[in-house]
Structures are given as C-alpha cells and as structure tokens.
Amino acid sequence: MPRYLTAEERKERYDLIFNNAVEMFDESSYGEIMMSNLAKRCDIAKGTIFKYFKTKETLFSLILYSEYDKWVQEETVELDKHREFSCESFIEFTSKRTNTIFSKHLRLVRLTAIKRTILDKNIDINIYASEVEKFQNQMKNVASIAASKMAEISTEDMFEFYQAWHISVAGSFNLGVSKLNTKRLGDINLSELAAFNIEAAVINCVRRYLRGLFF
C-alpha cells in the first residue's frame, strides 16, 4: 500500500523540483532542459514531476513569476528609500535600477526574453491567470508608490512607463549576442559583431521615454 506524503513532504518535493529546474536554467538554455533530465537530477520518477507541475511551461511560468516577485519586492524597497523625486532624479534612479536588473536579476531578464515561448502553449491556464493577475497588481502598486513621490506624473502614466521599461529590457536583451556566441564570434575574429551594449540601449530608451513624459 503506497504511503501518502504529508503536506510538509509535498512542499519539500515541490521545492526540490522547482529549485533544481532553476539551477538547470542557470546552467543551460530553456530548450536544452528536458523533464526526464530534471527528474534524474532530483532522483525521482519523471511522472512524479507532473503531479506537481502539469507541463514544463507551467513549471517555468512559476519560476518566471517568482523572479518578477523578487524584483517587485526589491523595487519597492529602493523606492521607499526616497521621500520624493524630481524628474531628473527619477531618471537617474531608473538608470541605476536598469543596471541592477542585469547584474542581479539576469535570470528574470533571460526568462522575460523567452516569455512567449513559456506562456503561449501547454500552460495550466488557471495558474497562468492567477500569476498574471498578481503581477499586474504588484506592478500597479509599484507605479503608485513611484507616482506618489512625484507631482508631475499620474499612477497610470507611471504604470505605462514600467510596462515600456519591461519591453525595452526584453527587446534589447534579444538584440544582444549571448555570451556563448560572443566567444564563438571571437574564435573566428568577428568579435565586433557582439559590440551591442544591452544595458546602454535600455538606459537610452528609458531616459528618452521619461524625458518625453516629463518635459
């Protein structure tokens, strides 16, 4: 007779699968990750994974939104350090935060860049709806906090800015050359093709967007 896991044991199993999937993504690309390899890494049967995550896309959508959650929490903390912003100081603040997302949240950037691949099919729609609703509410809250520190902008305009910033980050990352291909281009003496500066591109977009909004 099979032994039923306790709630704590189920949580431990969930975390085991989730955390190993995160580690695999940090080590390789999304396309290279197979659920069979993830099961082997976790030392569990492949079918066990699907008891917790119906599909690979569902698993990685939860990883994506957990990374969004980390960013939202950090953005809120950083905004709360400022009593108010002038137009120029908010532009500088956002430029610094853009550098931070590439240095501290590269996993989020990578997942955002392949968001459509993860979310467009084979995903548990109930989980998807729940995560999207939660993230939109979080973003609106971040926008509200930022707008409350400035007399020149509404919460709605700030929310649109954060959406545009998000698009710029993902788009610029996709325009850049991966580290792997940077090395390979160097091997054939074509390193100049990898000269596109992702962080600078996003910062330039951000600064121009905000200047257009403020002035």
Side-chain angles (χ1 to χ4, degrees), residues 106-180:
L106 186 58
R107 186 186 301 139
L108 172 59
V109 174
R110 291 180 61 213
L111 286 166
T112 303
I114 60 168
K115 191 173 181 179
R116 294 275 60 83
T117 300
I118 299 171
L119 301 181
D120 271 357
K121 63 178 184 178
N122 299 330
I123 186 171
D124 185 316
I125 195 62
N126 293 311
I127 289 176
Y128 174 64
S130 174
E131 294 298 325
V132 168
E133 182 179 26
K134 181 179 75 172
F135 178 58
Q136 286 185 348
N137 289 333
Q138 288 175 321
M139 285 286 283
K140 288 174 183 177
N141 184 57
V142 168
S144 177
I145 293 170
S148 71
K149 300 175 185 293
M150 303 181 69
E152 299 86 352
I153 190 169
S154 67
T155 296
E156 291 75 17
D157 282 343
M158 188 64 80
F159 180 63
E160 287 186 8
F161 160 69
Y162 273 109
Q163 290 178 309
W165 178 84
H166 173 279
I167 293 167
S168 181
V169 168
S172 294
F173 186 76
N174 276 329
L175 285 173
V177 175
S178 71
K179 290 183 178 180
L180 173 60

Side-chain angles (χ1 to χ4, degrees), residues 34-61:
M34 307 298 291
M35 297 297 261
S36 55
N37 292 337
L38 174 58
K40 184 176 181 180
R41 184 176 178 125
C42 296
D43 195 25
I44 59 177
K46 181 180 176 180
T48 300
I49 291 180
F50 294 112
K51 292 179 181 178
Y52 294 86
F53 306 97
K54 292 183 179 179
T55 63
K56 176 182 173 180
E57 290 81 5
T58 298
L59 168 57
F60 276 87
S61 71

